[in-house]
Amino acid sequence: MPAAVLTAVVLWRTPEHRSVAIRWLAGLFAAGVLTTASKVAFIGWGWGSAALDFTGISGHAMLAAVLYPVLLGLSMSRQRGLRAWHGVVMGTLLALAVGESRIRLHAHSVSEVAAGLALGAAVSCAVLAAGKLGTARAPHWAMGLLLLWLIGMPASGPPSHAETVVARLALAWSGRERLHTRAELHLKP
């Protein structure tokens, strides 16, 4: 989330990029709502697919695909021509690595990660299609913060309590006392 705030601040700094910031924030919000809804639907009501091993959109993969291509694209925005797109490519590769890590850690299935990456990529593409990202100029202080964040995040990132909040929300809305699980999904005929 700190990187998302940094991205929004960098985009919002100049009036000609505020529409891009609004588009990106709206896309991030919509993708977050859809991701949360998919998790609530499974946890509370068991809506999923055993055939696809799908219990909800991967939030990590979605956030990585929404954030990293745009943020790293901004970091390279001072470059000219195709070099400016190197940041977008690096951000996309980083998002794919996050998705791969979710699969290797058995936190999500391939279908859940693919859904998260596709949803996040749709938001990033909508922002990049606006064509104004290449004219944005990320300030040096923002790039310094980005570098510190990228170095320190793996070691010092606080644990997320989002899953706990989503689970409580799903149980409250569905009226169930316990969560639906992936194991139960695969036991259904």
Side-chain angles (χ1 to χ4, degrees):
M1 294 317 288
V5 170
L6 177 63
T7 303
V9 166
V10 168
L11 287 170
W12 194 263
R13 288 179 59 241
T14 55
E16 66 267 16
H17 296 110
R18 289 191 181 141
S19 65
V20 177
I22 291 168
R23 179 182 294 194
W24 186 76
L25 288 169
L28 175 61
F29 177 78
V33 167
L34 187 56
T35 299
T36 302
S38 73
K39 292 173 183 280
V40 167
F42 176 73
I43 292 169
W45 289 273
W47 294 353
S49 171
L52 295 175
D53 194 22
F54 185 84
T55 64
I57 299 168
S58 168
H60 282 83
M62 180 275 293
L63 282 172
V66 166
L67 179 63
Y68 293 138
V70 174
L71 180 60
L72 294 180
L74 282 171
S75 75
M76 297 293 286
S77 64
R78 294 183 182 275
Q79 302 295 319
R80 299 279 180 232
L82 288 177
R83 296 190 82 188
W85 286 93
H86 288 168
V88 174
V89 171
M90 288 187 298
T92 301
L93 292 174
L94 185 55
L96 290 171
V98 168
E100 175 68 17
S101 75
R102 305 312 294 160
I103 294 167
R104 288 185 185 253
L105 292 171
H106 303 289
H108 285 289
S109 68
V110 172
S111 64
E112 293 162 355
V113 168
L117 290 172
L119 181 58
V123 174
S124 286
C125 286
V127 170
L128 295 170
K132 295 181 180 179
L133 189 63
T135 63
R137 295 292 178 249
H140 294 293
W141 61 263
M143 294 305 94
L145 284 175
L146 170 63
L147 184 60
L148 287 173
W149 177 77
L150 285 172
I151 291 169
M153 179 198 49
S156 64
S160 172
H161 300 289
E163 293 293 328
T164 303
V165 171
V166 169
R168 287 182 182 161
L169 185 66
L171 292 177
W173 284 355
S174 68
R176 288 181 52 90
E177 292 184 16
R178 62 181 190 81
L179 310 172
H180 282 278
T181 65
R182 187 179 304 274
E184 290 174 344
L185 177 71
H186 289 289
L187 289 176
K188 290 181 182 177

